[in-house]
Amino acid sequence: MADTLHFEDWSCPLPLRNYPRIVLGHGGGGKLSEELIENLFLPAFRNPALENLGDASVVELPPGRVALTTDSFVVRPLVFPGGSIGELAVNGTVNDLAMCGARPLYLTAGFILEEGLELSLLAHVVERMAEAARSAGVQIVAGDTKVVEKGHGDGLFINTAGVGVVSPGLVLGPSSARAGDKVIISGTLGDHGVAVMSVRAGLQFETTIQSDCAALHGLAAEILQVDGAVHVMRDPTRGGLAATLNEIARASRVGVMLQESAIPVDPQVQAACELLGLDPLQVANEGKLVAIVEGGRAPEVLLRMRAHPLGRRAAIVGEITADRPGLVAARTTMGAIRAIPLPLGEQLPRIC
């Protein structure tokens, strides 16, 4: 007796419109791959360089030094309050460039799709990603898609690379902090990590905690107008403010003393952290920056930061010291001093 055929398991050759979910054929390089690119990715990211569909895109760069970066995004869930993996991929890469003082120009995007991913969800993520790119003033000029078998991924992973140009003479880096500099952060800490975690844990608050996911290139450009005042800029993503400042302290061979009472944390984020046993200083942010600024010019930088929509709650939270090189500490509201160590591992996995 012949085996029974199960047509629901077949994956090709049907047109894209008949598939509600990703099938292996979408990554096979054939008709289904072509339809996925032409019907989904090209309309969303449309620009002349991408439409050539060549092995690489040729783009124009203005004079200046070039900054390059790459990042991968594996956040779960794919859509969360205040954003999605799509915005995260664009904004995260834009921010990595902006923290070097670069003007972001072009991105590439690689999509690892898991068999069974709903096409409507992928379309939503791609649409949000395209909108984030338009808002940030960057073009996605090259891309790639691969499909892995069901059970070998988690829906969707995105890898991005970015290129931007840096103005002549501008040098920023983690080894440039100096004793007497002030530490400024652009707003409340921990919003992104707690927003993602609250969805996973099913936590209920009076209002939904929103991710702070945002492109920081405009804010960075604004404070760099205070010529020569900014020595270091970083976005405190994984490991939060604690990891960022420890990396700067070690690279610059300086100490950092924070004033705990000056560090802005949303009350609901603080409550969630206490519930989950987290330190908000170690929770990831996706729309905040840390600036190490020449002490005497810190007030001017702070004013410019607060005048920008993404820096309204900016605050000077500490200073760079010559003693205890490599150590980050905070003076508590009780007057005691506590060490702020580099996080040992991952407090909140899969949040970016």
Side-chain angles (χ1 to χ4, degrees):
M1 183 177 178
D3 292 338
T4 301
L5 296 177
H6 298 286
F7 292 96
E8 64 272 20
D9 295 331
W10 287 29
S11 60
C12 58
L14 296 177
L16 175 65
R17 59 181 175 275
N18 287 346
Y19 284 98
R21 296 177 182 274
I22 288 293
V23 297
L24 288 175
H26 285 125
K31 185 65 175 174
L32 286 180
S33 296
E34 182 184 81
E35 288 183 355
L36 188 67
I37 293 168
E38 292 188 349
N39 294 326
L40 182 64
F41 293 109
L42 275 183
F45 302 145
R46 189 172 297 282
N47 60 71
L50 186 63
E51 287 173 359
N52 284 331
L53 293 180
D55 290 335
S57 290
V58 178
V59 297
E60 299 286 343
L61 289 176
R65 292 168 295 153
V66 172
L68 298 171
T69 188
T70 186
D71 208 341
S72 297
F73 299 86
V74 297
V75 66
R76 180 172 58 85
L78 298 177
V79 178
F80 47 83
S84 72
I85 190 173
E87 292 120 303
L88 204 58
V90 170
N91 293 338
T93 308
V94 165
N95 292 346
D96 285 345
L97 293 170
M99 294 306 103
C100 299
R103 178 162 63 92
L105 294 173
Y106 303 110
L107 305 183
T108 69
F111 295 83
I112 309 298
L113 311 172
E114 185 185 20
E115 183 185 20
L117 174 67
E118 293 181 8
L119 269 173
S120 59
L121 177 55
L122 176 61
H124 174 76
V125 168
V126 169
E127 184 179 331
R128 301 286 291 268
M129 191 173 181
E131 177 57 34
R134 284 190 289 271
S135 297
V138 297
Q139 292 184 339
I140 297 172
V141 296
D144 182 55
T145 60
K146 293 289 189 300
V147 178
V148 297
E149 296 173 345
K150 191 172 182 61
H152 290 255
D154 202 358
L156 170 62
F157 300 145
I158 301 176
N159 173 266
T160 53
V163 60
V165 290
V166 184
S167 299
L170 178 61
V171 177
L172 300 174
S175 62
S176 298
R178 308 166 190 168
D181 286 351
K182 298 295 185 183
V183 180
I184 303 178
I185 58 175
S186 62
T188 54
L189 295 181
D191 300 24
H192 173 73
V194 170
V196 174
M197 203 62 196
S198 63
V199 174
R200 283 195 218 158
L203 300 179
Q204 300 292 324
F205 301 97
E206 291 183 3
T207 58
T208 302
I209 297 175
Q210 300 280 323
S211 167
D212 60 352
C213 183
L216 295 165
H217 61 297
L219 179 60
E222 180 62 32
I223 65 174
L224 288 175
Q225 293 297 312
V226 186
D227 190 33
V230 180
H231 298 157
V232 185
M233 278 197 300
R234 295 290 299 273
D235 56 335
T237 53
R238 283 184 302 170
L241 183 67
T244 297
L245 290 180
N246 271 279
E247 290 167 6
I248 293 170
R250 292 180 184 183
S252 297
R253 301 180 184 277
V254 296
V256 180
M257 178 58 71
L258 301 173
Q259 294 296 325
E260 204 166 58
S261 61
I263 299 173
V265 180
D266 182 275
Q268 291 196 91
V269 171
Q270 181 69 52
C273 285
E274 291 174 0
L275 186 65
L276 297 168
L278 303 174
D279 183 346
L281 301 190
Q282 297 185 357
V283 177
N285 315 272
E286 291 293 340
K288 301 293 173 4
L289 70 79
V290 180
I292 308 299
V293 178
E294 185 180 324
R297 306 173 79 184
E300 184 181 355
V301 173
L302 182 65
L303 282 176
R304 283 182 175 267
M305 199 177 284
R306 286 179 172 171
H308 192 278
L310 295 179
R312 291 195 181 102
R313 295 193 64 182
I316 297 175
V317 299
E319 63 182 7
I320 304 298
T321 64
D323 57 340
R324 296 188 289 268
L327 179 67
V328 179
R331 190 178 303 280
T332 70
T333 54
M334 302 297 290
I337 294 177
R338 71 176 178 107
I340 308 294
L342 185 69
L344 183 61
E346 189 77 83
Q347 271 197 327
L348 301 173
R350 303 284 303 279
I351 57 174
C352 60

